[in-house]
Amino acid sequence: MNYEKVSIMNQKALKTLEYDKIIEQLASYASSPLGRKKCLELVPSSSLSQITRMQHETHDALTRLFKKGHISFGDAKDIRGALKRLEIGSSMNITEFLQTAALLENTARVKAYGRRENADQTPDSLEDLFETLEPLTLLSTEIRRCILSEDEISDDASPNLRRIRRSIKSCEEKIHSQLISLVNGSYRTYLQDAVITMRDGRYCIPIKSEYKGQVPGMVHDQSSTGSTFFVEPMAVVKLNNDIRELEIEEAKEIEVILSTLSAQADLHRDEIRYDLENMVELDFIFARAALAMEQNANEPIFNTEGKIHLRKARHPLINAKKVVPIDLSLGEDFDLLIVTGPNTGGKTVSLKTVGLLTLMGQSGLHIPALDRSSLSVFDEVYADIGDEQSIEQSLSTFSSHMTNVVSFLDKADRNSLVLFDELGADRGRGACHRDPLYAPRARHPHHGNDTLQ
């Protein structure tokens, strides 16, 4: 799903209205790495159809959460690089196979979660996403049969691998038998310790330095003190060579097994890619629903007429036990609203609440307000809130705000929401006790409508 990017000016509004903090909260509810990434990239859209679709998705996911509880998408790892290599004829590695199997197994669980409880149940907006998931059970089962862990391929992955490993085990048993007889027999007095050890992948015994010449064989290592040499007796050299050859044969057989599995996975490359994309999309949608559940939020009603009507709206970043809900209407009988009151009277919070809820709604997020609250779709949101002194331009706080005002007036049109904080305050001599705050829907004078005053 593609989302329309906001303008550079709106990036400032997103920061001013603390939209980034909401997005960080949203990302915390995603269970997969790609789902979290998708959440962090979410920006408001100005397309009513896209906003409506996303709001419906959030609503339907929230309904499912209430009915069935939460579902994890945590195994949706990014395997797109592996799928690309399959496309050009390369093989996947063990880690990628395990990630693919985990994805497919989780896909099966998610698909089961998404099934309707009865055939008469009306499909919702998420039905197609759940239906198009392909668990590919045969493939995931085959991967698990062949690959036990990051470090272990199953003996049963192929008859040839089983034969090779049996031969290796047989050689090892013969070596141990030979070395034990030497350790407990003729070489006993030459040993530093009566043990069998490995050096460079070869079975050796520790010989005291003064007896090194008494034991025919190959020296592979020496202790740090020089008192011990690790010698491979000639009696086991051929068996060690046989093991080395078998290990090379084993590595080649594992490559054949991974190549065979890769060929099987390649037959379902598109289905795996779609599974990954749909799982990430569902993770993204259910993160939005989980945030709505946490905030006790509701789906807003959208219009394109500049009308805002908030019922008991709460600022989502303020403690729910302390926040004071507000009722606010704009755009029905008037397009410019001035909020006045004493310091700490909640004027700035009210202004930020309107702006932040607008951004959230246009991002497909439910808003913390009573149902039947309505928002308008705006192409631009401009916000001048708080003291912002421009050091780079050597401007005073007042001049900085005036620069913002001029910039907003130059760019704002009938599809803009403009928020001014303390526009009428005497910033050079301190704040007034009854500062006017503006939350107008700007209209461009060329359209013959109301203009900012």
Side-chain angles (χ1 to χ4, degrees), residues 34 106 217 357 394 418:
L34 288 177
N106 209 38
L357 266 55
S394 300
V418 184

Side-chain angles (χ1 to χ4, degrees), residues 114-313:
R115 289 194 185 99
R116 280 181 279 169
E117 296 176 354
N118 57 73
D120 298 331
Q121 187 176 341
T122 304
D124 62 15
S125 63
L126 305 181
E127 183 85 2
D128 287 344
L129 282 173
F130 283 111
E131 282 297 317
T132 52
L133 291 174
E134 291 290 345
L136 301 175
T137 305
L138 292 178
L139 177 59
S140 63
T141 301
E142 180 66 6
I143 292 173
R144 293 298 188 189
R145 185 185 72 81
C146 295
I147 303 175
L148 301 180
S149 69
E150 295 270 0
D151 306 312
E152 186 177 5
I153 300 293
S154 171
D155 293 350
D156 297 327
S158 76
N160 196 32
L161 182 63
R162 188 186 305 111
R163 177 193 62 79
I164 293 170
R165 287 182 172 174
R166 283 178 178 173
S167 298
I168 291 174
K169 185 175 181 180
S170 176
C171 286
E172 288 175 339
E173 289 174 350
K174 291 177 181 178
I175 289 176
H176 275 88
S177 178
Q178 288 267 18
L179 292 179
I180 286 173
S181 66
L182 293 175
V183 166
N184 294 327
S186 56
Y187 290 169
R188 187 168 186 175
T189 57
Y190 304 152
L191 298 177
Q192 190 71 262
D193 296 294
V195 297
I196 299 171
T197 185
M198 293 283 289
R199 287 295 186 275
D200 299 328
R202 315 280 289 193
Y203 286 96
C204 303
I205 53 177
I207 303 296
K208 295 176 182 178
S209 59
E210 61 266 29
Y211 296 116
K212 182 184 67 169
Q214 303 298 317
V215 180
M218 301 173 60
V219 176
H220 286 279
D221 199 4
Q222 183 180 11
S223 67
S224 58
T225 61
S227 61
T228 305
F229 286 86
F230 297 93
V231 178
E232 176 187 1
M234 289 301 297
V236 297
V237 168
K238 183 181 183 308
L239 288 172
N240 268 328
N241 288 342
D242 290 343
I243 287 178
R244 183 58 186 149
E245 290 175 4
L246 287 168
E247 287 173 345
I248 293 172
E249 192 177 348
E250 178 190 29
K252 290 180 179 179
E253 182 60 20
I254 289 174
E255 288 181 8
V256 171
I257 292 167
L258 295 180
S259 178
T260 302
L261 282 176
S262 295
Q264 295 178 36
D266 187 50
L267 294 175
H268 303 284
R269 187 177 67 244
D270 290 338
E271 292 100 314
I272 297 171
R273 182 181 291 111
Y274 293 144
D275 281 345
L276 178 62
E277 292 173 355
N278 289 345
M279 289 282 280
V280 171
E281 185 66 23
L282 284 167
D283 191 16
F284 175 46
I285 293 170
F286 274 83
R288 304 200 308 255
L291 179 64
M293 178 182 284
E294 175 65 25
Q295 294 179 344
N296 192 23
N298 286 288
E299 179 180 359
I301 302 169
F302 273 92
N303 64 82
T304 57
E305 301 166 359
K307 298 177 181 178
I308 297 176
H309 179 59
L310 297 177
R311 303 175 62 244
K312 302 300 179 185

